[in-house]
Amino acid sequence: MPLTCDPLLRVLRNPTDSAQLNLSQWDLLLRQARRANLLSALSERFLHADLVDSVPPKVRKYLDAANMLADANRRGARWEVRCVLKALEGTGIPVVLLKGAAYVLADVPTGRGRLFHDIDFMVPKARLEQVEQALRWQGWTSTHLNPYDQRYYRQWMHELPPMRHVKRGTVLDVHHTILPETAKLHPDPEKLLSAARDVPGFPMLKVFAPADMVLHSATHLFHDGELENGLRDLVDLDSLLRHFGDKPRFWDDLNHRAAELDLTRPLYYALRFTRELLNTPVPEAAWRQAQQGRPPVLLASLMNALFRRALLPDHDSCNTWLTAPARWLLYVRSHHLRMPLHLLVPHLVRKALRGKVDTEKP
Amino acid sequence: MKLSDFSEPALTRQLAGEGLVLHTGPFSVHVRTTMSSVVQGLSILYRDYDVSHMQGYADFHVQLVAGGGLRRWYKPQVRFLFDGFAPFKPLPLDQAFPMFEWGLNWCVANHMHNCLILHAAVVERGGYAVVLPAPPGSGKSTLCAALVTRGWRLLSDELTIVSLDDGTIVPLPRPVGLKNHSIAVMKAFAPHCTVGNETRDTNKGTVAHMRAPRQSVEQALTPARVGWVVFPTYQSGAPARLEKLGKAGAFMRVVQNAFNFNVVGVKGFDVLKGIIDDCACYEFSYGQLEQAMDVFDSLAASRVAEKPAQKTA
Amino acid sequence: MPTSPTNTTLLLWASIPDEVLRWAEWDDQYVVYHEDSGDAHQLNQVAALSLQHLTGQGQVSGDLVRTVAQLLVVDVDDALTATVEQALANLRRIGLVVSIRL
């Protein structure tokens, strides 16, 4: 049963199941979690379920280590965000954090045990130049210096070329919307920005409203599609849905907002796969409503077959002979959804010639 | 069982099949490979280490395999796989054994964040350890290799693992890496030491590894307290010179040589502060190993004279 | 990189909260560890005393110079003033103190 990715999925679904693992299953769990970049998330779940003491000591030391790393990551993100806010202080432009940094600063549980490198944030497109300038003054410089990459980002993408700090080496991804300009879907960045919420204790800092946070995560995984950390991203979604799902109006908001932002398809996939792989509790009414984003039957079953494979960690114990083709098809799909064919083909050729297809974006 | 219980053909079969779990310090490493140079390196340099069959659990699962693609026909390569994943670019085939050593260092440095890990050699005598942090080219490994042939216990030649619980050094005795002319220097200095095959043209030049003394391997589970932090510099022809170093400056230099100081946070700071409080810090330059040995002998003697090694953290 | 304002006398200086700082001191040489940034910094005596004194209170640099002079039992002079101001600029650069324009 290779599509189950046992024991990782089982333990993520139900941490108390770990009580039944023998040492060689613990060994496999550790390996799958390492590969999926989920070791600290796993550790966090054991902590939360008060199960840490039942973990064999050999494995426990790596969970502790993963915790240290996640804590350091969180401290680092907070500090870097402070530095960004200081750099932009004079501009009066609010910073809307995205992804990992947003989970950390907004203190949602998803931010615990989550590792990430870059700080992603969004500002209005009209202020992009001013933001870039202010960041330059404080030591962040553009990383992709060749003219093709610069043009690729500035003309087609939804973000500036990543900026790296000369001293700290940290990387910022400055977005002006959540999908490339050339993509098929066009969520309105104005709507996302105006619904953003304040972060207590940090003037000028905001994060997306709960529904938008979920939709962005879903879009990133199922539309913009870098599936390298597919299961990690699905675990994020699971954790966001569990966290916000208790609030009374959340599920209605979520479906409405998906329709409003043109993101019903990614939401459909998000709910489908979090339910199937991670047993995420989704109210029946919300699931029914999310069918508005369901693809036609044939496509739905194809996508199901592809995602069911590609969402699992790229580890020997989870791969079948179909895994590699599934990943490849989804890779091509994600690019196709990012830009039309007449732009895509020359772009991929250029990347292939540079031999960087698998290692570096763009 | 010990690795030396396997004949080379038996070892070859075992490593090509289910593999073997090698126990080095606190780590168990499940190794699989069909590369004869790796089998040979293991049988020369790891003969005194405990090994076991893969039953249930190992800290790290590593493999050395031939690189794929067209290149294999005209320029064969080796890849280091960490549980199926390649953290480095492939290297020329004859660098397979050094790649195994470098790969193992990577495993430790990337997964042991519950300890403070320093880029430093560390040896022990009389219950106290000397930490030798230094950038490459400082003669740290040569000094370390020489000391362990003269009665110092090898704790590690490359990665100093500091426990965050009590600030002691967790031993990781593995073969000592030697580079370029230091290979010949060591062979002349200690004719009885065992040095494995030389590998030329690596990005560090010619490299070879010296076998860790058997006693060091056998005492791998006995931690040691830090008695001294010494920053060595090799200077051709210079007399051996030991100079006391300000502790704040020494602290900062240790931090610069740490792999994960920013990961271990406040705990790391507190532990390192405790170490620097209790130890003596020196700058050491030397041009001759014999002279260096004398200096370290008198260091060890001073600590014994000062007080018995009884104090606990 | 930003340059420091030329006229620091008009600035109110304050340290960041001291719960994120850890100290070590050996023979009048100091190491301060800043938990948020994860960085350790070596400080001389003037910088360390300035930072410690600014914890929990704002001060203009003139007052701070007098305080440091008292602590070190030396006279206030141009050299000390320059040393303190240099220290403050460095501490601000590494994010351990902030300055507010009065």
Side-chain angles (χ1 to χ4, degrees), chain B residues 10-94:
Chain B
L11 189 61
T12 304
R13 269 195 310 278
Q14 185 69 31
L15 289 170
E18 66 163 34
L20 206 55
V21 179
L22 182 68
H23 300 267
T24 79
F27 303 107
S28 54
V29 188
H30 177 208
V31 188
R32 284 186 296 161
T33 188
T34 54
M35 311 223 131
S36 56
S37 63
V38 179
V39 177
Q40 205 179 28
L42 285 168
S43 71
I44 297 172
L45 298 168
Y46 282 89
R47 63 164 199 192
D48 300 321
Y49 290 71
D50 285 329
V51 292
S52 55
H53 292 285
M54 178 59 204
Q55 282 166 332
Y57 176 86
D59 291 300
F60 309 124
H61 297 260
V62 310
Q63 255 179 300
L64 284 122
V65 299
L70 276 178
R71 267 185 112 94
R72 91 187 97 166
W73 302 112
Y74 65 94
K75 202 176 175 190
Q77 289 186 310
V78 52
R79 290 193 304 153
F80 176 87
L81 298 182
F82 174 75
D83 200 9
F85 155 81
F88 320 110
K89 293 205 165 100
L91 289 176
L93 188 63
D94 63 341

Side-chain angles (χ1 to χ4, degrees), chain A residues 27 31 34-35 62 75 315, chain B residues 56 58-59 61 83 85 262:
Chain A
D27 178 83
R31 295 160 69 180
R34 272 178 185 156
R35 178 54 41 78
Y62 294 106
R75 281 197 308 272
H315 186 262
Chain B
D59 291 300
H61 297 260
D83 200 9
F85 155 81
N262 59 350

Side-chain angles (χ1 to χ4, degrees), chain B residues 112-118 122 131 159-171 224 226 254 260 264 267-268 271-272 275:
Chain B
M112 282 302 284
H113 296 302
N114 42 346
C115 298
L116 173 65
I117 305 179
L118 309 176
V122 55
V131 178
L159 298 173
T160 294
I161 305 178
V162 184
S163 161
L164 292 178
D165 298 328
D166 58 8
T168 57
I169 305 299
V170 180
V226 178
V254 173
N260 65 345
V264 293
K267 267 190 182 173
V271 156
L272 191 55
I275 288 177

